[in-house]
Amino acid sequence: MKKIQMVDLKSQYDKIAATVNASIQEVLDSNTYINGPQVHKFQKDLEEYLDVKHVIPCANGTDALQIAMMGLDLKPGDEVITADFTFAATVEVIALLQLTPVLVDVDVVNMNISIEAIKKAITPKTKAIVPVHLFGRSANMDEIMAIAKEYNLYVIEDNAQAIGANYTFADGSKKKAGAIGHVSSTSFFPSKNLGCYGDGGAIFTNDDALAHKIRGIVNHGMYERYHHDVVGVNSRLDSIQAGVLNAKLPFLNEYNAARRLAASKYNLAFEGNKNIVVPAFDLNGDDHVFHQYVLRIIDADRDALMQHLLNKGIPCAIYYPIPLHSQKAYVDSRYKEEDFSVTNQLVKEVIALPMHTELDDEQIKFIADSVLEFLNK
């Protein structure tokens, strides 16, 4: 059995090495390292893939989220509601822009932002909601968009973990995650479902005026060289990273299907175990693309299980060990522990197993057997 890795980028690269290398060589030959042809090609191809009018590439996923908020002209003190159970970048950019983060609890089944918690958190100062499509599963966008319409709020999708996922609306229609809200952001960090070989990100929107503003923001506020029309930043996707993404984008659906298949094999192996809650999903569906495969461990020692797996050479991780409302940087007297009962529960239960496009049956069986060995002893 080959060595188990949390993410096996080397094996993925080996399968498309010729395409990746040719794409990078094209950049080297052109000497256009910033805003070159590869960047423009990737932008257009991703717009077509997502069925969204505007993709604005940028330097990383955190910048993408920050720039999306900058484009909406939110003012210091405006309240932005987002999930307590996610990576810190989501709340980080809210705080950096001197907006007021309002952290709320998540749903125990899908681990995405709780609709009821959003409703309870809305005040006259609320201006936006940031749903995070956590671990690759779409948040409940039917309800979120309805709330936004009722209260005249912006919806900024944090799509860093769910590129390629489809959301199925109540009427049966579908849209890609990231193509539903007023504006969205994503990350192309190497471990993402669509990852480059460095940092990269993008903003998506169907709003022409907002897209125009964001294109200026990512480039020092310039539309014409040395004419600074808006306050901007320096955040551009470089051409080499765009070249890598151009090579990988045609395989994204295949990559996501491979992740769903691996998840289904994990789920089958764990079926019926009283100590394990597996992620529920439809193998033939496409609303979950499994950026991470996360179990909940019930009535058992999650931390001891993690050490057991590490001792057997199986990488694993806890996403996320500390709720954002308990992080030193974001502690706030407004928050009450009873309002975060699900998040406080999840941080004690969750464990992520290896998940990537190159997992084989032998590896999955060894990982699953090792989990069950610990829980059944």
Side-chain angles (χ1 to χ4, degrees):
M1 182 177 66
K2 66 179 180 180
K3 182 180 178 182
I4 297 173
Q5 300 182 64
M6 200 69 180
V7 180
D8 187 356
L9 294 175
K10 177 63 166 62
S11 295
Q12 185 189 71
Y13 165 74
D14 287 343
K15 291 182 178 179
I16 58 171
T19 305
V20 171
N21 293 349
S23 194
I24 293 173
Q25 189 62 51
E26 188 176 309
V27 176
L28 299 176
D29 290 341
S30 72
N31 287 306
T32 50
Y33 299 111
I34 302 294
N35 287 332
Q38 290 277 20
V39 176
H40 299 301
K41 172 177 168 48
F42 177 65
Q43 173 191 324
K44 294 299 183 186
D45 288 351
L46 190 57
E47 286 170 348
E48 183 177 344
Y49 176 84
L50 294 170
D51 191 22
V52 68
K53 287 179 71 175
H54 304 284
V55 167
I56 302 99
C58 65
N60 58 70
T62 306
D63 277 6
L65 194 54
Q66 177 177 322
I67 292 162
M69 293 182 191
M70 291 173 71
L72 295 173
D73 286 327
L74 301 177
K75 306 300 182 187
D78 286 348
E79 293 180 353
V80 179
I81 297 171
T82 194
D84 187 40
F85 187 61
T86 186
F87 183 60
T90 310
V91 68
E92 178 179 74
V93 296
I94 298 171
L96 281 170
L97 293 174
Q98 296 184 302
L99 308 172
T100 301
V102 179
L103 297 168
V104 301
D105 211 358
V106 296
D107 181 271
V108 72
V109 175
N110 61 34
M111 304 189 200
N112 279 318
I113 193 165
S114 162
I115 300 304
E116 291 308 310
I118 293 173
K119 292 176 180 177
K120 286 172 60 177
I122 292 173
T123 76
K125 293 183 178 180
T126 306
K127 293 296 186 289
I129 306 168
V130 183
V132 180
H133 301 310
L134 196 69
F135 303 143
R137 186 202 302 265
S138 305
N140 186 343
M141 295 305 293
D142 271 297
E143 294 281 359
I144 290 168
M145 296 306 294
I147 293 169
K149 183 176 181 180
E150 179 179 354
Y151 290 95
N152 194 28
L153 307 176
Y154 291 117
V155 174
I156 307 159
E157 292 178 77
D158 183 340
N159 197 39
Q161 299 187 18
I163 194 161
N166 280 314
Y167 179 78
T168 302
F169 289 91
D171 64 5
S173 64
K174 292 188 177 188
K175 279 190 178 181
K176 293 288 185 190
I180 302 168
H182 298 93
V183 65
S184 306
S185 64
T186 200
S187 167
F188 302 123
F189 187 78
S191 65
K192 302 299 187 189
N193 294 38
L194 179 62
C196 54
Y197 294 158
D199 271 320
I203 304 111
F204 319 140
T205 185
N206 286 304
D207 184 319
D208 295 342
L210 179 57
H212 175 72
K213 184 171 185 180
I214 287 171
R215 287 195 180 96
I217 292 173
V218 301
N219 191 32
H220 296 290
M222 294 188 295
Y223 302 98
E224 181 182 350
R225 192 162 179 80
Y226 301 126
H227 292 252
H228 303 275
D229 294 352
V230 296
V231 175
V233 298
N234 176 25
S235 185
R236 297 171 297 217
L237 179 69
D238 74 69
S239 296
I240 287 178
Q241 300 306 333
V244 173
L245 292 166
N246 280 328
K248 294 176 76 171
L249 179 58
F251 297 97
L252 180 55
N253 286 346
E254 179 183 322
Y255 290 159
N256 287 341
R259 288 171 177 268
R260 280 194 293 270
L261 182 59
S264 72
K265 292 175 180 177
Y266 274 136
N267 277 14
L268 185 61
F270 297 135
E271 191 173 36
N273 188 285
K274 63 182 177 62
N275 299 118
I276 300 176
V277 178
V278 299
F281 77 105
D282 178 2
L283 177 60
N284 297 315
D286 48 15
D287 69 320
H288 200 328
V289 294
F290 286 97
H291 174 58
Q292 304 290 354
Y293 179 84
V294 178
L295 299 175
R296 291 172 51 211
I297 303 301
I298 309 298
D299 297 325
D301 191 333
R302 186 273 312 271
D303 293 342
L305 168 60
M306 183 175 183
Q307 191 57 56
H308 171 76
L309 295 177
L310 293 173
N311 290 343
K312 295 177 78 71
I314 300 171
C316 51
I318 297 171
Y319 305 118
Y320 296 92
I322 304 172
L324 290 177
H325 79 271
S326 297
Q327 297 282 359
K328 185 176 180 180
Y330 305 112
V331 167
D332 194 299
S333 60
R334 295 171 298 148
Y335 298 140
K336 298 177 175 60
E337 286 302 316
E338 57 265 32
D339 292 331
F340 299 99
S341 58
V342 174
T343 297
N344 289 337
Q345 173 187 348
L346 291 176
V347 297
K348 299 172 184 175
E349 296 176 347
V350 293
I351 185 168
L353 302 182
M355 172 52 71
H356 52 80
T357 58
E358 310 306 311
L359 276 173
D360 60 39
D361 288 349
E362 184 181 19
Q363 290 175 313
I364 292 171
K365 184 177 187 306
F366 180 73
I367 295 165
D369 286 350
S370 298
V371 171
L372 295 171
E373 174 188 51
F374 175 85
L375 294 176
N376 293 336
K377 66 182 178 182

